[in-house]
Amino acid sequence: MLHNLKKIAKRRLYLVLIFPCLIWSNNYKEQPKDAQNDSLKKPKNIILLIGDGMGLSQVSSIYFDPNYTPNFNRFHTIGLITVSSASELITDSAAAATSFASGEKTYNGAIGVNIDQEPLVTIVDLASDKQMKTGIISTSSITHATPACFYAHVEKRRMQDEIATFLPVSDIDFFAGGGTDFFNNRKDERNLTEEFVQNGFTIDTTLVEDYSKLKDSTKYGFLMAPNGMKSMIDGRGDFLPTSSALAIEYLSKSKDGFFLMIEGSQIDWGGHGNDGEYIKSEMLDFDQTIGKVLDFAKQDGNTLVIVTADHETGGYTLTSNGSNYNEILPSFSTTGHSATLIPVFAYGPGEEIFSGIYENTEIFHKMKLLLE
């Protein structure tokens, strides 16, 4: 009996000591320290770069060329995110991109909708409400899962014809990627190119190289392929860094700032194909794009750059060639996605709130905080 009373007393003492801590912990979650920090410097512009399928091994793959210095070295604030969706432990691009774009977990395959298939407010909506200009760039079709989540709201990612109908009437001011077939070669014979023009867009199939030709009062769309774009190995060239520089030149003319999402889509495709050379070539292209973006951010001084990924693809690792530890070979455990934590790199005003380990939905909430 005495022994049991002592145990109860100890338990009560534990609860007395721990209960205030639990209250503090819950209050901390409801009112993050970041939100209470009036001294937090906020950026005028936010550029979010998403390396689709990019885990730490994918990033590591470009570190073994003695003649190349990765632009990832320029980041000093680094974090990690967990990326499970609301329906699965292993996410797909649609659920993950919806988390980035809208700050809410949803089911695999969902484009800009919650688990009840209701439309979600996006970071593009919030930026546009503040009169900021907005843009999206992708090396896949512009109607593919990741870019689509920033402007469309449909039940399933494969509904690309329906996704396409959202873009002409969206708040997007600049886009570049593949996907002409979803706009002017449709099963319903609807010509969305005409609808783009009606809504103030100039649509082109080649990138403008003279930045001075871009007018502030016009929206711009560049559709560069029938569906997804070529891989780097197959000759895509400098589309991603060039279109990113073009977008920044155009969007930065806004006195109210801008939000830009840039996706290196085909890192993921290399992972699905268990192709190490494909991954490395796409990673180098993505890294060079990061370099262009960081150059602008450094010169501008008022731009936040965030680099992350929706998930890792391929269970990719860098292994030795047998007992030869001086030769690295790509190794894969799956042709699908994996559940590994994903890195986050940040540079610029507000970068400090992106360190630590947190859910992928916090990317949205942290960006939202910085826009308030």
Side-chain angles (χ1 to χ4, degrees):
M1 175 73 71
L2 181 60
H3 176 71
N4 288 337
L5 287 174
K6 286 181 178 179
K7 286 180 66 177
I8 292 171
K10 286 182 178 179
R11 188 175 301 152
R12 286 177 177 171
L13 177 61
Y14 172 80
L15 289 173
V16 168
L17 292 173
I18 198 66
F19 188 69
C21 296
L22 292 173
I23 294 174
W24 179 86
S25 177
N26 288 333
N27 287 338
Y28 182 84
K29 290 177 182 178
E30 292 171 6
Q31 297 181 333
K33 181 179 179 182
D34 305 327
Q36 305 301 316
N37 189 353
D38 294 333
S39 64
L40 179 64
K41 187 176 181 182
K42 298 182 179 181
K44 180 181 179 182
N45 314 308
I46 296 178
I47 302 176
L48 172 64
L49 296 101
I50 300 173
D52 199 309
M54 183 189 75
L56 280 174
S57 288
Q58 282 81 354
V59 174
S60 302
S61 68
I62 62 173
Y63 271 81
F64 296 97
D65 182 345
N67 299 314
Y68 185 77
T69 302
N71 286 288
F72 282 99
N73 285 358
R74 299 165 67 177
F75 293 98
H76 299 290
T77 297
I78 302 171
L80 292 169
I81 52 173
T82 58
V83 295
S84 294
S85 71
S87 63
E88 310 285 347
L89 289 176
I90 299 177
T91 191
D92 79 330
S93 294
T98 297
S99 293
F100 292 154
S102 298
E104 188 166 330
K105 294 280 189 181
T106 191
Y107 59 91
N108 283 6
I111 300 291
V113 296
N114 63 17
I115 57 173
D116 297 317
Q117 299 184 342
E118 299 167 332
L120 294 166
V121 174
T122 69
I123 193 69
V124 168
D125 296 328
L126 298 179
S128 296
D129 287 345
K130 294 176 65 66
Q131 309 305 311
M132 299 170 71
K133 286 197 171 185
T134 59
I136 53 173
I137 299 172
S138 178
T139 57
S140 66
S141 164
I142 206 69
T143 57
H144 211 254
T146 299
C149 292
F150 288 84
Y151 67 86
H153 309 279
V154 301
E155 299 171 9
K156 298 177 182 178
R157 59 182 293 175
R158 67 172 178 267
M159 300 165 64
Q160 292 193 67
D161 274 2
E162 184 171 348
I163 289 169
T165 65
F166 284 85
L167 190 51
V169 294
S170 72
D171 289 327
I172 299 295
D173 296 292
F174 180 106
F175 68 85
T180 53
D181 281 354
F182 300 107
F183 297 96
N184 57 23
N185 189 25
R186 299 164 54 87
K187 294 178 182 178
D188 61 7
E189 298 184 354
R190 182 175 169 184
N191 188 344
L192 294 184
T193 302
E194 295 176 358
E195 296 183 29
F196 275 121
V197 175
Q198 292 168 6
N199 287 282
F201 276 95
T202 292
I203 302 297
D204 207 337
T205 56
T206 57
L207 282 175
V208 176
E209 295 185 3
D210 185 353
Y211 299 151
S212 65
K213 292 182 179 180
L214 300 182
K215 301 177 181 178
D216 293 353
S217 58
T218 302
K219 294 184 174 186
Y220 292 93
F222 298 92
L223 292 170
M224 309 294 291
N227 199 320
M229 298 189 66
K230 291 181 179 180
S231 67
M232 287 301 293
I233 291 173
D234 290 335
R236 185 172 71 240
D238 63 355
F239 162 78
L240 194 60
T242 298
S243 61
S244 298
L246 180 65
I248 290 170
E249 181 71 20
Y250 165 72
L251 296 171
S252 62
K253 294 178 181 179
S254 169
K255 64 181 178 61
D256 298 305
F258 68 85
F259 170 81
L260 174 62
M261 190 286 292
I262 302 167
E263 183 196 26
S265 319
Q266 298 190 37
I267 302 165
D268 174 67
W269 301 359
H272 282 299
N274 285 183
D275 188 331
E277 287 303 312
Y278 194 165
I279 290 173
K280 185 175 179 181
S281 64
E282 296 296 329
M283 278 300 309
L284 285 169
D285 182 54
F286 189 58
D287 183 72
Q288 288 160 16
T289 303
I290 291 169
K292 293 279 189 183
V293 172
L294 288 175
D295 288 345
F296 167 78
K298 182 178 180 180
Q299 181 179 9
D300 177 66
N302 207 10
T303 297
L304 171 66
V305 179
I306 309 158
V307 181
T308 189
D310 46 1
H311 53 72
E312 190 277 338
T313 304
Y316 179 53
T317 57
L318 304 176
T319 58
S320 67
N321 186 3
S323 60
N324 183 354
Y325 277 36
N326 278 317
E327 185 177 352
I328 293 174
L329 294 178
S331 177
F332 299 88
S333 63
T334 179
T335 57
H337 301 167
S338 71
T340 185
L341 296 180
I342 294 297
V344 180
F345 305 85
Y347 172 93
E351 68 175 84
E352 61 270 25
I353 68 173
F354 289 87
S355 64
I357 302 176
Y358 43 90
E359 292 282 354
N360 58 359
T361 49
E362 284 303 303
I363 296 291
F364 168 85
H365 292 295
K366 291 173 187 295
M367 292 190 297
K368 180 183 177 183
L369 171 65
L370 293 172
L371 291 181
E372 292 174 349

